[in-house]
Amino acid sequence: MGKYTLSVIKADVGGWVGHSDVHPDLLAKADERMAQAKSSGLIVDYYRSKVGDDIVFIMTHQKGPDSEEIHKFCWDSFVAITEVAKKLSQYGAGQDLLSDAFSGNVKGMGPGCAEFDIDVRPAEPIIVYAADKTEPGAWNMPLYKMFADPFNTIGLVIDKGMHDGFKFRVHDLRDHKEVVFSLPEEMYDMLVFIGAPSRFVIKNVMRKSNDEIVAATSTQKLHEIAGRYVGKDDPVMIVRCQSGLPAVGEALEPFAFPHTVAGWMRGSHHGPLMPVGTADDTPTRFDGPPRVVALGFQLTQDGILGTPRDMFADRSYDNARQTALDVADYLRRHGPFEPHRLGLDEMEYTTMPEVMEKLKDRFVKAED
Ligand code: 13P
Ligand code: 13P
Ligand code: MG
Ligand code: MG
């Protein structure tokens, strides 16, 4: 079997118009760079995708995860696309490039990254998800449902390859620690943490038998890198499917419920995560509502990604979209009030600190 690394690396290097889409000239530059990477032999294959104002590189190669060569090529590509964005006065040109110089790995520099090695099976269905106007914790509930909830994934009950459950690696984004849970036995322990998705984020799901990674997410925190609000950490995720893993339909099913995530306007609001086909991945109403697209690939043993299927374009997601639009209407009517607006803890990283600073001398001791 062929062994390949699947790397998904994304960045927002300029929005068209505002934060709603990516200009075709930026996408053309991205395509040109990816074609170069393939013809030079750096990567085996690629598919260039996007969601909202984020450009997504999906690549197969044989350099392993965290490859400096691959990461540098992506970084240099985002820098080159930023130049196009500046010429076209795109909004927030270079938004996610938070450093002046590349330092070995895009992680910690702004772009999001999910990657792992795959020992490719004779048939290898893979779904790459990309979301705009939200954060990495948005994957917690769907991943939990796919790999741990029998009401979502009947395979956990009736497929003996899945019946023992899976391991989950959870990152604490605040204290920079990680912990591995084994499910179903530690389900309730894990839920204590992943139910707080702004801080605890599922990084990987692994097979119990050999710790092989079968799902990965991006977990960058832009505000921690930049020390200020620069945009949400619009995340990507890779999930391998079938034959002892969730079926493709089980991996898509969680998104039939457009759960509430943090993000939306100015990264400061809660809203429904609406599953959409790629033609509709343009967050427009109040810069939203947050969107997720899913591209399905049948990876070959030669590492070829082939043509993706646009999984959420299917009309079976129409009701989820309608629910999301109804929830968006309902939440918008709260205006600047919680729980539409994020709670104070999370506002700390957005627009709140400057207002607090301005008013701090006007706060005096209150009389009871
Ligand atoms: P402005 O301050 O440029 O209006 O930006 C707001 C915004 O879009 C936050 O990302
Ligand atoms: P992005 O994170 O997609 O750039 O959006 C930022 C924003 O402030 C939208 O209102
Ligand atoms: Mg943007
Ligand atoms: Mg974005």
Side-chain angles (χ1 to χ4, degrees):
M1 286 194 291
K3 286 196 184 182
Y4 293 93
T5 309
L6 178 59
S7 298
V8 180
I9 298 183
K10 53 90 17 195
D12 172 351
V13 292
W16 176 62
V17 172
H19 296 278
S20 63
D21 201 352
V22 182
H23 190 284
D25 290 5
L26 274 64
L27 297 177
K29 187 61 165 179
D31 291 342
E32 183 191 308
R33 293 284 305 179
M34 281 289 105
Q36 271 171 25
K38 186 171 173 177
S39 62
S40 71
L42 177 66
I43 59 176
V44 174
D45 199 15
Y46 69 92
Y47 185 79
R48 193 273 307 145
S49 182
K50 71 161 282 278
V51 61
D53 59 0
D54 292 87
I55 296 173
V56 182
F57 295 144
I58 302 167
M59 298 161 287
T60 51
H61 57 88
Q62 295 192 298
K63 312 264 178 206
D66 290 322
S67 155
E68 183 163 345
E69 268 181 281
I70 298 288
H71 282 234
K72 181 164 177 13
F73 191 86
C74 291
W75 177 265
D76 291 344
S77 300
F78 290 130
V79 170
I81 304 165
T82 299
E83 287 312 310
V84 181
K86 283 183 181 158
K87 281 199 193 99
L88 295 171
S89 298
Q90 298 297 283
Y91 192 75
Q95 177 179 288
D96 287 0
L97 307 185
L98 301 178
S99 172
D100 292 333
F102 180 72
S103 64
N105 192 307
V106 295
K107 286 179 200 159
M109 300 184 70
C113 174
E115 52 182 354
F116 56 88
D117 283 331
I118 300 183
D119 210 345
V120 182
R121 299 168 292 172
E124 186 64 67
I126 290 175
I127 303 177
V128 175
Y129 304 79
D132 191 33
K133 305 295 177 270
T134 185
E135 58 182 18
W139 304 131
N140 281 6
M141 191 193 286
L143 272 177
Y144 170 78
K145 285 184 169 178
M146 278 177 226
F147 287 94
D149 178 5
F151 280 76
N152 180 91
T153 298
I154 185 60
L156 294 164
V157 181
I158 62 176
D159 179 345
K160 73 174 175 12
M162 300 178 71
H163 200 77
D164 287 343
F166 291 90
K167 285 191 195 167
F168 292 71
R169 177 176 292 119
V170 174
H171 279 195
D172 175 345
L173 298 184
R174 201 185 71 188
D175 288 351
H176 304 284
K177 289 183 172 168
E178 63 172 54
V179 53
V180 174
F181 294 101
S182 184
L183 265 66
E185 355 28 302
E186 297 182 303
M187 175 185 290
Y188 301 150
D189 288 342
M190 185 172 85
L191 282 167
V192 170
F193 297 95
I194 66 164
S198 63
R199 175 165 170 193
F200 296 98
V201 173
I202 299 172
K203 178 69 189 170
N204 297 124
V205 181
M206 295 155 299
R207 286 190 205 272
K208 271 187 176 171
S209 54
N210 58 5
D211 283 346
E212 184 184 20
I213 295 174
V214 292
T217 67
S218 60
T219 51
Q220 90 282 11
K221 270 284 199 194
L222 292 175
H223 72 75
E224 284 198 7
I225 304 164
R228 65 191 152 83
Y229 175 71
V230 286
K232 260 300 185 217
D233 314 291
D234 302 325
V236 290
M237 168 167 78
I238 311 169
V239 176
R240 292 174 70 184
C241 302
Q242 306 284 162
S243 309
L245 301 174
V248 167
E250 289 167 338
L252 296 173
E253 176 64 9
F255 297 92
F257 169 56
H259 66 298
T260 302
V261 297
W264 207 344
M265 173 57 73
R266 296 170 188 266
S268 306
H269 294 80
H270 284 117
L273 184 61
M274 182 161 77
V276 291
T278 52
D280 294 316
D281 72 4
T282 47
T284 302
R285 180 180 179 193
F286 199 57
D287 287 1
R291 311 281 152 121
V292 55
V293 298
L295 296 179
F297 296 92
Q298 232 15 92
L299 179 64
T300 74
Q301 298 223 302
D302 303 324
I304 302 300
L305 287 158
T307 308
R309 284 213 61 236
D310 187 0
M311 306 308 279
F312 290 145
D314 191 74
R315 60 181 295 185
S316 57
Y317 281 83
D318 285 353
N319 279 358
R321 288 188 267 276
Q322 190 58 54
T323 303
L325 297 178
D326 292 342
V327 170
D329 275 339
Y330 170 82
L331 283 171
R332 280 299 302 128
R333 289 167 70 182
H334 292 77
F337 284 79
E338 297 179 16
H340 184 27
R341 201 198 74 178
L342 298 187
L344 283 179
D345 278 3
E346 289 174 86
M347 290 295 285
E348 225 179 282
Y349 304 116
T350 58
T351 37
M352 190 82 169
E354 286 148 37
V355 182
M356 287 301 278
E357 181 60 28
K358 187 177 83 181
L359 294 183
K360 71 176 192 309
D361 296 333
R362 302 222 337 242
F363 278 89
V364 293
K365 195 173 181 315
E367 286 173 28
D368 289 333

